Amino acid sequence: MGSPLVAILSGAGISTDSGIPDYRGPNGLWRRNPEAEKLVTYEYYMGDPEIRRRSWQMRRENRALQAEPNAAHRAVADLERTGVPVRVITQNVDGLHQLAGMPARKILELHGTARSFVCTKCRKRGPMEDAIARVEAGEDDPLCLECGGILKSATVMFGERLDPAVLGEAIAITKACQVFIAVGSSLQVQPAAGLAGVAADHGARLVIVNAEPTPYDDRADEVVREPIGIALPKLLRTLSEES
Ligand code: ZN
């Protein structure tokens, strides 16, 4: 038998040590601030140039693009390098798994990425830095250079659907894996949260690493409350020694 497939579902909690706050969770910054939430809600964004102007200012000031991966991101990349088959399913848009050295093809970004922009009309994408540079040069609401369409960050906004291909692949991996580790996720935002239940239903060993209780704790084989930066490297080292 080969090494077991390990699926790692990561949420906001894995990136807090990198200085990125929880924006999107049930108690995240956006949910607690309705004005801020409008900036990331598709309908408001598409309908109001003033919302777009403020969104671009927010992206410009967003420190997530300058953030560095931390010990937990590096531990995931290290596990992959030992030859254990690993797939990352992430609710985060910060791109820190990739920066830590995890191959991009082994990462599913359920909520997209803040490191790219996308045209809402022709779907052309490019580096977020390019769009930010246009904002810094004085454009309030930079439009697509190909088709004149409205540009947005390549993240899934409130009111937008998750990419069905990405979600389908995440479900397939969840069903196929032998170990499913949910780390830094409150497991309250669907459909990502439901993956923990799918993993347990299909016989995976379910491990939850999170500071706060989650709705899936009673289904888990192991619940770890230690800080993620300490707990995850320890846990993944044990896994690579076992396999
Ligand atoms: Zn376009």
Side-chain angles (χ1 to χ4, degrees):
M1 230 180 87
S3 296
L5 174 62
V6 178
I8 299 175
L9 172 69
S10 65
I14 198 173
S15 292
T16 46
D17 280 353
S18 295
I20 302 175
D22 178 11
Y23 288 102
R24 193 180 187 105
N27 301 308
L29 295 180
W30 287 335
R31 286 296 186 194
R32 285 187 280 127
N33 180 345
E35 277 309 302
E37 190 173 334
K38 279 188 190 170
L39 304 185
V40 290
T41 300
Y42 190 74
E43 193 190 342
Y44 289 113
Y45 186 86
M46 294 304 286
D48 186 348
E50 174 58 18
I51 294 277
R52 293 199 293 278
R53 187 188 69 76
R54 284 163 52 205
S55 289
W56 283 111
Q57 288 307 321
M58 178 184 72
R59 288 171 193 139
R60 185 184 167 188
E61 289 153 15
N62 191 348
R63 303 202 330 267
L65 290 178
Q66 278 97 51
E68 298 286 337
N70 63 55
H73 299 106
R74 287 193 295 271
V76 174
D78 287 346
L79 178 66
E80 195 273 335
R81 270 192 290 269
T82 64
V84 174
V86 185
R87 295 292 183 278
V88 170
I89 303 165
T90 188
Q91 297 172 278
N92 299 337
V93 298
D94 53 37
L96 292 182
H97 284 292
Q98 290 90 325
L99 278 185
M102 184 74 193
R105 68 178 189 283
K106 298 187 175 179
I107 303 172
L108 293 165
E109 296 176 307
L110 292 173
H111 295 147
T113 177
R115 293 186 182 267
S116 302
F117 70 80
V118 63
C119 171
T120 55
K121 205 163 148 195
C122 74
R123 309 312 294 178
K124 181 195 150 69
R125 294 166 72 104
M128 181 53 85
E129 289 80 6
D130 293 2
I132 299 287
R134 290 175 60 191
V135 175
E136 282 174 347
E139 290 183 64
D140 278 345
D141 179 19
L143 298 176
C144 178
L145 296 172
E146 305 283 319
C147 78
I150 293 172
L151 298 184
K152 64 184 279 294
S153 124
T155 52
V156 178
M157 287 182 163
F158 294 122
E160 273 191 298
R161 212 181 282 198
L162 269 65
D163 181 333
V166 173
L167 183 59
E169 208 179 321
I171 293 169
I173 287 164
T174 302
K175 287 178 176 171
C177 71
Q178 281 78 47
V179 182
F180 187 95
I181 304 173
V183 51
S185 173
S186 61
L187 298 179
Q188 289 180 39
V189 177
Q190 295 294 353
L195 294 174
V198 171
D201 288 345
H202 284 77
R205 183 173 144 216
L206 176 61
V207 183
I208 294 176
V209 186
N210 199 52
E212 306 293 329
T214 82
Y216 293 89
D217 287 2
D218 56 354
R219 302 205 60 192
D221 296 283
E222 193 181 343
V223 176
V224 184
R225 295 262 181 262
E226 261 184 299
I228 291 166
I230 297 164
L232 195 66
K234 213 196 293 179
L235 183 71
L236 298 186
R237 263 197 310 274
T238 315
L239 263 185
S240 70
E241 284 160 13
E242 275 171 9
S243 51

